[in-house]
Amino acid sequence: MLAPNIGVLALQGAFREHKRLLSTVGANVTEVRLPQQLQGLSGLILPGGESTTIGNLMVEYGLVEAIQEFHAAGGAIFGTCAGAILLARTIHGTPPQSGVQPSLNLMDITVQRNAFGRQVDSFRTTLEISGFDSPFPAVFIRAPIIEAVGEGVDVLARHQGQIVLARSGNLMAGSFHPELTGDARIHQLFLSLCREPQRA
Ligand code: GLN
């Protein structure tokens, strides 16, 4: 079977760690900074970082519409932390000085930014994830929570009752950083959502 072609949005944030982990599970990995780099990919990871910064750069490079079209053509997308914020239809808690928060507006979830507190409140824990036979180690860094999910969105994990991993079709959003602990099961799960592209 051919290795799937997966992109990692590489504008800002923790993209190198995702690349490394994707390579260990047999993906061909491309850094995406420009719309044409989405060609031929079956999946795209939006990493953690700073969602306002990443969003503004996405607007500047013409990536908002390009990623929406990529998804409309069948491309799978996994947003982690800031990336989950960028996927959400509704975003709460953007500081006023950050201005307008750009979003891809693709997944029917409502997120609350920085809901687990400030940088000093970052933490490591283990999560029970639906379909996994043992707990998953997760790092939360100024993480959002998924406050609400729309119809057709499956909740895959919670932390202290709050939704931290959800999936809708071939879209997945997680509050935490799954790329920092070396456990590749979530990346494998994402690969299973990636189909071959419907157009070359
Ligand atoms: N707090 C950041 C934001 O709102 C997300 C932090 C992260 O991605 N680790 O964009």
Side-chain angles (χ1 to χ4, degrees):
M1 210 176 77
L2 282 178
N5 293 323
I6 308 295
V8 181
L9 187 69
L11 299 174
Q12 189 262 342
F15 56 89
R16 291 179 194 84
E17 293 79 359
H18 280 290
K19 279 182 66 186
R20 199 172 308 134
L21 208 50
L22 281 169
S23 306
T24 69
V25 293
N28 281 328
V29 193
T30 309
E31 291 186 6
V32 173
R33 295 189 180 84
L34 295 169
Q36 56 268 34
Q37 292 166 330
L38 292 164
Q39 292 270 332
L41 301 181
S42 49
L44 177 69
I45 289 187
L46 312 176
E50 186 54 46
S51 54
T52 310
T53 306
I54 298 175
N56 287 336
L57 289 169
M58 277 170 39
V59 170
E60 199 173 317
Y61 293 119
L63 277 163
V64 173
E65 280 180 7
I67 294 173
Q68 287 166 336
E69 283 166 17
F70 167 77
H71 177 62
I77 308 179
F78 177 25
T80 65
C81 204
I85 296 168
L86 291 162
L87 275 181
R89 292 250 166 96
T90 312
I91 301 166
H92 293 151
T94 298
Q97 67 273 22
S98 299
V100 177
Q101 167 67 60
S103 170
L104 294 164
N105 202 13
L106 283 175
M107 189 168 174
D108 192 5
I109 56 174
T110 300
V111 296
Q112 170 77 38
R113 286 182 68 177
N114 301 327
F116 287 111
R118 303 163 62 89
Q119 193 83 24
V120 289
D121 301 313
S122 297
F123 59 95
R124 202 181 163 118
T125 186
T126 53
L127 300 171
E128 298 292 335
I129 296 183
S130 169
F132 287 13
D133 54 15
S134 61
F136 186 90
V139 179
F140 287 73
I141 304 169
R142 295 183 61 220
I145 57 169
I146 301 169
E147 283 184 328
V149 298
E151 238 170 84
V153 180
D154 293 330
V155 173
L156 301 183
R158 291 178 186 265
H159 175 68
Q160 295 177 343
Q162 310 282 9
I163 302 168
V164 293
L165 185 66
R167 177 199 157 182
S168 170
N170 63 359
L171 297 174
M172 195 159 77
S175 301
F176 53 93
H177 286 257
E179 77 286 10
L180 295 179
T181 50
D183 188 324
R185 284 178 292 168
I186 293 189
H187 288 74
Q188 265 157 344
L189 172 62
F190 178 60
L191 287 196
S192 74
L193 308 182
C194 298
R195 295 197 306 261
E196 286 309 303
Q198 293 177 359
R199 44 164 206 198

